[in-house]
Every structure is written in C-alpha cells, then in structure tokens.
C-alpha cells in the first residue's frame, strides 16, 4: 500500500477549521501589533484587510488545486504535477526548511517567554522540553495533533474576543484611560488622519502584515489525513475572510479606539496595556501565557508539517535507505521523518546555549521571506491548472485568472517593499541565494 492509502483520515472538521484560524494568528498580533500600529498608524487596518483579501485568493487557488485530485497528499504534489518535478523539488525542500526554521525560532521564543516568569532558567531548556513533548504527541496519532491545535487556537481566540468585548464596552461608556484619553471611534482619525504616517508608513507596514499570515497555507498539508476533505477543506478556506475580519481587524480597531495610534509603544504589547488599564493586574502574565501557547502552537504545527513534508519528499527516492524515511509507523504517522526533522529543530537549543538572544532573528527572517516564493508557486500551479483542465473545475477560485494575477502583483509589491530596508533586503538576498542552491540541486533530479 502506498503512503496515501495508509494514512488515516482522522482530522475532523473542527480540527481543520481551528487550524485555519491558528495559521493566521501568531505571536505577532499579541506582541508585535504595537510596533505595526506605531509604524503605520490607523492605516494598518487597511493593510490587514488588503492582505487578508489576497490571502483568501491564495487559499482559494490552493483549495481548487487540492479538490481537483483527492490523491494529492499536499499542495506540493499539486505543484509538482502542474509545474514539473524540479519545481516541486525546490518548493518541497524549501517549504520543509522554512518550517524547520520556524520551529527553531518558536522554541527559542518559548524560552524567552518562560524567562519572564522564571528568569533563572536557561533559555534553551523550556524550548527543548516543549519540543520533546510535541514530538511524542505527534508520534501517537494525527488526531492527537489535531486536538492540541484545536485547544491552542481556542486560547488565542478567547484572548482576542475578550479584548474586542472590552474595547466595545469601553467605547460605549466613553472610558477615560489612565493617560487621559477617551475611548472613542474618533481616535481612528483624530490624530493626523487615517494615513497618519503617510504613504511610506502605510506601504512599509505590509512587510509586517504579510509575515503575520505565514503558515496560512498549512491547511494544504492536511489533505491526506482529513475526514471528508471535499467538504471540510473548502469550508475551512471559505471561513478565512470572516476570521481575518473578526480577529485581526477587530482587535486592531478595539486597540486604536481605546488609545490613539501615537500612544502605542513599539516595544510593549497593546493587549497588556488595555487589560492593565481596566484594572487587571495580572494582564502581563495572562498575555505571556497566551503568547507561549501561540508559539507552542506554531512549534507543534512545524513538527507536523516537516514530518509529512520530509516523508513526501523521500517517498520516491532512488535509494531504499532514503525511502525508508517515508515509511509509516503502526500509528499511521511518518515517525522517522518526524524524528529526523525534530532533531534538526533541536539544534536551536544548542544555538541558544552558544549565542542566546540572537537565534530568533537569525533563523526567522529568511524563512518568512521564503514563504513568498512558496505562495507564488501555488498561484502559478493554479494558472497552469486552469489552462490544462478548464472543464473539470471544482471549488472554483472566484474571478480567476484575474485573481491569480492580482496575487502575483501583490507578491511583487512585497518584494519591492523588502528592498527598501537594509535588514529585509539582506534576508531577501539570502533567500534568493538559497533558492539558487535548491535550483542547482534540482538539476541532479530526473524530471518527472
């Protein structure tokens, strides 16, 4: 039996639904939203809305590819099918390395967040413990992974809903903050207008906003293990716009209505600021707990994704020893691939020991930039699909191919924005070099 047949379709609708949410809500919203508001002013709301529309188009393209052939174990197989074996090779290995890097960054972050409570604990210890726990969980069964992600997502959603509810209440009673500001919708435009930092501030904000959505395509890796994928995956994808509107834009609106944008500190969490202002003394600890669960969720997703991706990439290897990596355990999970990927992630603990404080930035910038290339490959695969199978379309992408070209134009715009700052330009150049290396490596692989 092949890998696809042996995998159990144990991920239920609620698992995939909450995974789709978890893929769009990371630590950036809880910790980094102050920085993005400070940089762009109220126009950050429009930046999130535009990026949300683009990501929905991207996900509809991904969904149509997956629904076109239920034998696909992930969207990488669809890319390989439509763009060729070499492009599939490049996209697959790049995606695997991206999630390895994200997991390394997240276990680093967990160590930093735990030190807020236990400053004497070495930074590398909490991350390593978290990694071992999640590896063991992922080796049991795929529905265990689904349950963990479900409850992690619920914690993040609860925190955001509470913030939005507090914001609505404070605006309704015209609450006066400790600094003398009155909570009101007028705060959105009262301080230098909606585009308070000008066109440059608005455009530069997109790099932060786009990276907040990294991982949204992970739903496309669950295709082989989802119960009734023809119903569940489209439902999960179609729910994305409402979630973006509610969770991201709702949270940002609540924050800006309570405090003027120029009152936001780029270094402090707006969530902590709001909850402390209404008299909740444990706000910092609660938000710290939420961001730990957000980082842990990303780490858990990375273990799942890297294990499945490595199994898929090695399943057609010429050498039997390499093909063994893709073999499934008695629990119907790619145990060897999960363990090998996690051992690489564990290198972050060594780096944390050698160079604490530098690892998070080191491993995350190139990984997040690489996702733009992956998203581009999904769109080009969808365009090829439209040319080859126009009469067999299921779960049609709205306004295609115009919407495909719109996504491509947006990605090119983001590449341009990344060239405007030294730090992001360096990450972009290193990412380009990385993809050149993968391209050279792909030349050794026979075209399928």
């Amino acid at each position: 039996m092949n890998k696809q047949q042996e995998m159990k379709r144990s991920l239920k609708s609620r698992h995939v639904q909450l995974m789709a949410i978890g893929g769009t809500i990371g630590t950036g919203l809880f910790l980094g939203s102050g920085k993005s508001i400070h940089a762009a002013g109220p126009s950050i709301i429009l930046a999130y809305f535009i990026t949300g529309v683009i990501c929905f188009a991207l996900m509809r393209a991904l969904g149509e590819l997956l629904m076109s052939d239920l034998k696909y174990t992930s969207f990488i197989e669809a890319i390989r099918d439509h763009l060729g074996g070499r492009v599939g090779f490049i996209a697959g290995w790049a995606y695997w390395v991206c999630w390895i890097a994200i997991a390394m960054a997240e276990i680093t972050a967990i160590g930093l967040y735990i030190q807020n409570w236990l400053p004497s604990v070495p930074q590398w210890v909490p991350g390593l413990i978290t990694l071992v726990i999640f590896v063991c969980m992922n080796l049991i069964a795929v529905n265990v992974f689904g349950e963990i992600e479900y409850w992690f997502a619920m914690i993040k959603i609860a925190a955001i809903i509470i913030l939005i509810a507090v914001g609505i209440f404070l605006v309704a009673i015209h609450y006066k903050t400790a600094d003398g500001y009155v909570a009101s919708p007028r705060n959105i435009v009262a301080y230098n207008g909606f585009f308070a930092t000008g066109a440059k501030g608005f455009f530069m904000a997109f790099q932060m906003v786009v990276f907040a959505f990294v991982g949204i395509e992970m739903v496309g890796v669950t295709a082989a293990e989802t119960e009734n994928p023809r119903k569940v995956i489209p439902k999960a994808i179609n729910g994305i716009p409402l979630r973006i509107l509610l969770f991201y834009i709702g949270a940002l609106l609540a924050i800006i209505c309570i405090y003027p944008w120029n009152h936001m500190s780029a270094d402090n969490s707006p969530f902590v600021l709001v909850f402390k202002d209404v008299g909740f003394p444990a706000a910092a600890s609660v938000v710290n707990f939420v961001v730990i669960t957000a980082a842990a969720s990303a780490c858990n997703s990375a273990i799942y994704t890297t294990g499945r991706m490595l199994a898929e990439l090695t399943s057609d290897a010429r050498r039997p020893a390499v093909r063994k990596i893709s073999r499934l355990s008695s629990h119907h999970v790619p145990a060897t691939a999960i363990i090998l990927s996690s051992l690489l992630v564990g290198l972050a603990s060594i780096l944390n020991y050698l160079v604490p404080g530098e690892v998070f930035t080191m491993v995350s910038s190139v990984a997040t930039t690489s996702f733009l290339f992956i998203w581009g490959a999904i769109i080009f695969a969808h365009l090829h699909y439209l040319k080859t199978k126009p009469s067999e379309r299921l779960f049609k992408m709205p306004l295609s191919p115009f919407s495909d070209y719109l996504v491509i134009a947006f990605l090119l715009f983001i590449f341009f924005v990344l060239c405007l700052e030294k730090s992001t330009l360096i990450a972009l150049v290193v990412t380009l070099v990385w993809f050149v290396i993968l391209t050279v490596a792909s030349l050794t692989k026979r075209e399928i």
Side-chain angles (χ1 to χ4, degrees):
M1 295 176 69
N2 63 36
K3 180 164 63 95
Q4 164 73 12
Q5 291 173 317
E6 292 177 10
M7 279 186 171
K8 278 192 173 181
R9 293 191 176 275
S10 302
L11 291 176
K12 302 182 184 300
S13 177
R14 64 186 179 89
H15 294 150
V16 180
Q17 293 281 334
L18 270 291
M19 263 183 256
I21 297 176
T24 60
I25 303 173
T27 56
L29 177 62
F30 301 104
L31 292 180
S33 51
K35 182 178 180 181
S36 59
I37 293 171
H38 188 79
S43 65
I44 192 69
I45 297 168
L46 180 59
Y48 268 99
F49 178 78
I50 293 172
T51 307
V53 171
I54 294 297
C55 285
F56 175 58
L58 169 74
M59 292 300 291
R60 284 299 299 257
L62 183 149
E64 184 168 3
L65 285 173
L66 293 177
M67 292 302 98
S68 69
D69 189 345
L70 290 183
K71 292 181 181 178
Y72 289 145
T73 56
S74 75
F75 65 86
I76 296 296
E77 281 198 0
I79 291 174
R80 184 186 300 122
D81 193 16
H82 291 284
L83 301 182
R86 289 197 181 112
V87 177
F89 175 91
I90 295 168
W93 284 107
Y95 195 62
W96 179 72
V97 170
C98 281
W99 275 103
I100 291 288
I102 285 176
M104 293 175 75
E106 295 299 348
I107 67 169
T108 300
I110 289 170
L112 292 172
Y113 302 148
I114 291 293
Q115 282 186 330
N116 290 333
W117 290 332
L118 305 170
S120 61
V121 174
Q123 180 185 328
W124 60 273
V125 173
L128 184 60
I129 293 172
T130 302
L131 179 64
V132 171
I133 291 172
F134 285 148
V135 169
C136 293
M137 292 292 189
N138 273 268
L139 291 175
I140 297 173
V142 67
N143 60 322
V144 174
F145 159 78
E147 284 297 325
I148 294 172
E149 283 304 292
Y150 177 85
W151 289 108
F152 277 158
M154 289 294 289
I155 292 171
K156 293 185 281 188
I157 291 168
I160 295 170
I161 290 176
I162 291 171
L163 175 77
I164 294 171
V166 168
I168 293 171
F169 175 74
L170 296 184
V171 168
I173 65 171
H174 302 290
Y175 177 80
K176 198 172 197 177
T177 68
D179 295 321
Y181 298 107
V182 176
S184 168
R186 289 187 66 254
N187 289 333
I188 298 173
V189 294
Y191 298 85
N192 296 327
F194 187 73
F195 293 94
T197 60
K200 183 179 179 182
F202 174 63
F203 291 137
M204 294 303 293
F206 275 93
Q207 58 178 297
M208 293 180 281
V209 174
V210 167
F211 293 151
F213 288 94
V214 160
I216 193 173
E217 75 300 315
M218 198 203 82
V219 173
V221 183
T222 66
E225 297 172 280
T226 301
E227 258 184 17
N228 194 3
R230 198 174 293 282
K231 178 182 178 182
V232 171
I233 291 179
K235 186 177 179 182
I237 291 173
N238 281 334
I240 287 174
L242 180 60
R243 295 177 189 123
I244 292 171
L245 183 66
L246 176 63
F247 298 126
Y248 269 117
I249 298 178
L252 292 170
L253 274 173
I255 292 167
I256 296 174
C257 284
I258 298 170
Y259 302 102
W261 71 270
N262 51 6
H263 180 73
M264 291 290 105
S265 169
D267 302 319
N268 297 322
S269 167
F271 280 71
V272 174
L273 183 64
V274 171
F275 292 142
K276 274 190 174 180
D277 211 318
V278 297
F280 186 52
S285 292
V286 171
V287 173
N288 196 55
F289 169 74
V290 174
V291 297
I292 287 173
T293 62
S297 172
C299 182
N300 188 40
S301 296
I303 293 170
Y304 172 86
T305 304
T306 53
R308 269 63 182 179
M309 195 53 55
L310 184 59
E312 183 177 324
L313 292 168
T314 57
S315 62
D316 60 349
R318 300 178 193 176
R319 296 181 181 179
V322 177
R323 283 201 305 275
K324 286 182 180 179
I325 296 174
S326 66
R327 190 173 294 173
L328 302 186
S329 69
S330 58
H331 296 283
H332 302 273
V333 298
T336 304
I338 290 172
I339 292 170
L340 288 176
S341 298
S342 300
L343 286 174
L344 280 179
V345 174
L347 289 176
S349 297
I350 299 174
L351 293 174
N352 283 331
Y353 179 76
L354 297 174
V355 283
E358 300 173 13
V359 182
F360 188 90
T361 303
M362 184 190 305
V363 299
S364 60
S365 57
V366 173
T368 49
T369 307
S370 297
F371 274 90
L372 300 177
F373 290 89
I374 304 298
W375 291 358
I378 292 172
I379 294 299
F380 280 107
H382 184 256
L383 284 171
H384 184 270
Y385 164 76
L386 294 181
K387 291 179 180 179
T388 55
K389 301 179 181 179
S391 61
E392 302 176 23
R393 299 182 64 185
L394 297 171
F395 193 47
K396 293 181 180 180
M397 180 185 182
L399 303 178
S400 58
F402 170 77
S403 46
D404 293 273
Y405 295 127
L406 184 64
V407 176
I408 292 171
F410 180 80
L411 294 177
L412 291 174
F413 162 71
I414 297 301
F415 283 129
F416 171 74
V417 171
L418 292 175
C419 294
L420 299 180
E421 284 192 1
K422 183 178 179 181
S423 58
T424 53
L425 177 59
I426 292 172
L428 180 59
V429 171
V430 173
T431 303
L432 289 170
V433 172
W434 162 234
F435 273 86
V436 168
I437 294 170
L438 281 175
T439 301
V440 173
S442 73
L443 297 178
T444 64
K445 181 179 176 64
R446 288 183 302 179
E447 187 66 56
I448 298 174

